Amino acid sequence: MEEQELPYVLINTIGGARGVFEDHIEFLKKHFNLITMKQFLENKNHLREKIKAIYIWWFKPAANQELLHSLPNLKVIASAGAGVDHLDLKLISSFGVEVTNTPFAVSDATADLGMALMLASARRLVEDIEYFPANWLGDEVTGATLGIIGMGTIGYMVAKRKWSLILFSHRKKEEEQAVGAIYCKKIEDLLQQSDFVMLVVKLTPQTHKLIGKKELELMKSTATLINISRGPVVDQDALGEALQNGVIKAAALDVTHPEPLPRHHPLLKLKNIIITPHLGSSTTSSCHLMMKNMVESILAALSGLPIPNKVTP
């Protein structure tokens, strides 16, 4: 019996800053014929009808209208991570293409990083000092009030780490009770009561610049803002002013806009801020699990089976 040809899947590149990890390639090649963007552009006429799926890693390749038009037999786009704000879901759907992501693969790793940022900021671990001054004292996290804005999978994983009091702005009654949390109907109440405010929301038109000058002024002057969601959720100009003027004590950001920030950006000059380069899901096990989830979703879509982690417009 003739061996069936593996499905053709488009990727950005192998290795490098925006490429598929080299140690993932062996596993991927067991299931797919991998086509890089360079190979596709050089052999478009030959490959355009063969490609059935796009494998997006670190937001690349970009699933724009031009690329979608050039792939008439495309069935599914699998994107690594939980956020899909880099995808135009309505546009993709108009081409009859399904979208899937990997929200559960990244939840533990991203929650861990959120806690790492909170602890590092509270204890001022990364400040550059030449000696230990009397006022170089950190804050205790034990017994503090943590306000989580966004009670999705990642927010829930943060909450499970057992804090003395946790406030949520988005209510899920069963999860609220499971972690002993107090629900805040208004975000203003959460901001006023929290020692640490952690942002774990999706980027939508409603959450764009969710935290601005007004919201920062509602926070305690001793509070810390932590963002592990998306950069545009915070008004960075307002944040810079708040940090400089003592409106809040500190901030810790794993996400910015743009990424990375230009080297001359004012936020990079402040001592009371920690900025990491979008490391939320950057663990060996999380990345491997994302890759496996994406393979399963692509194979399911191409076989006409229910698609795990299907994203709807």
Side-chain angles (χ1 to χ4, degrees), residues 17-81:
R18 296 286 180 178
V20 177
F21 293 161
E22 293 182 9
D23 59 354
H24 288 185
I25 296 301
E26 182 180 355
F27 183 87
L28 290 170
K29 284 187 173 180
K30 291 179 180 178
H31 301 280
F32 308 129
N33 279 312
L34 298 179
I35 305 298
T36 67
M37 278 298 296
K38 183 175 184 295
Q39 291 171 324
F40 172 65
L41 294 174
E42 291 175 348
N43 301 276
K44 185 180 289 189
N45 290 337
H46 174 66
L47 293 171
R48 63 188 302 271
E49 294 188 0
K50 289 179 173 289
I51 292 172
K52 301 291 183 67
I54 299 176
Y55 184 98
I56 297 181
W57 193 261
W58 294 118
F59 311 116
K60 296 290 183 179
N64 53 33
Q65 187 162 353
E66 180 182 0
L67 182 59
L68 293 170
H69 268 301
S70 65
L71 300 173
N73 295 319
L74 185 67
K75 301 297 182 186
V76 62
I77 294 173
S79 180

Side-chain angles (χ1 to χ4, degrees), residues 172-226:
K172 289 187 178 179
K173 191 70 175 179
E174 67 280 3
E175 293 178 348
E176 174 190 323
Q177 293 174 343
V179 296
I182 294 176
Y183 168 62
C184 286
K185 186 175 182 180
K186 297 180 179 180
I187 191 174
E188 291 82 1
D189 294 337
L190 182 146
L191 295 171
Q192 290 172 337
Q193 296 179 58
S194 299
D195 299 305
F196 298 90
V197 174
M198 188 175 296
L199 303 173
V200 206
V201 295
K202 295 179 180 179
L203 177 59
T204 67
Q206 291 72 36
T207 62
H208 184 264
K209 293 191 176 180
L210 177 68
I211 302 297
K213 185 175 186 293
K214 173 187 172 184
E215 290 74 23
L216 291 163
E217 290 176 348
L218 287 172
M219 293 173 63
K220 297 178 182 181
S221 61
T222 55
T224 296
L225 178 70
I226 302 159

Side-chain angles (χ1 to χ4, degrees), residues 99-103 293 296-298 300-301 305-311:
V99 173
T100 181
N101 63 346
T102 64
N293 285 175
E296 291 168 2
S297 294
I298 291 173
L305 300 174
I307 304 172
N309 303 316
K310 180 178 175 180
V311 178

Side-chain angles (χ1 to χ4, degrees), residues 83-131:
V84 291
D85 48 277
H86 56 291
L87 298 173
D88 187 334
L89 297 179
K90 289 185 178 179
L91 173 66
I92 295 168
S93 179
S94 71
F95 282 84
V97 176
E98 303 284 7
V99 173
T100 181
N101 63 346
T102 64
F104 301 105
V106 303
S107 56
D108 276 318
T110 306
D112 285 347
L113 184 71
M115 306 318 300
L117 288 174
M118 184 167 72
L119 290 165
S121 182
R123 300 306 297 268
R124 304 170 68 176
L125 296 183
V126 299
E127 287 188 30
D128 184 16
I129 61 167
E130 296 179 3
Y131 60 95

Side-chain angles (χ1 to χ4, degrees), residues 119-165:
L119 290 165
S121 182
R123 300 306 297 268
R124 304 170 68 176
L125 296 183
V126 299
E127 287 188 30
D128 184 16
I129 61 167
E130 296 179 3
Y131 60 95
F132 188 89
N135 65 349
W136 193 71
L137 299 174
D139 297 319
E140 290 190 16
V141 172
T142 302
T145 299
L146 170 62
I148 301 176
I149 300 178
M151 186 51 167
T153 304
I154 295 171
Y156 183 60
M157 295 309 295
V158 172
K160 286 176 68 177
R161 280 148 172 82
K162 301 298 182 186
W163 301 96
S164 59
L165 177 62

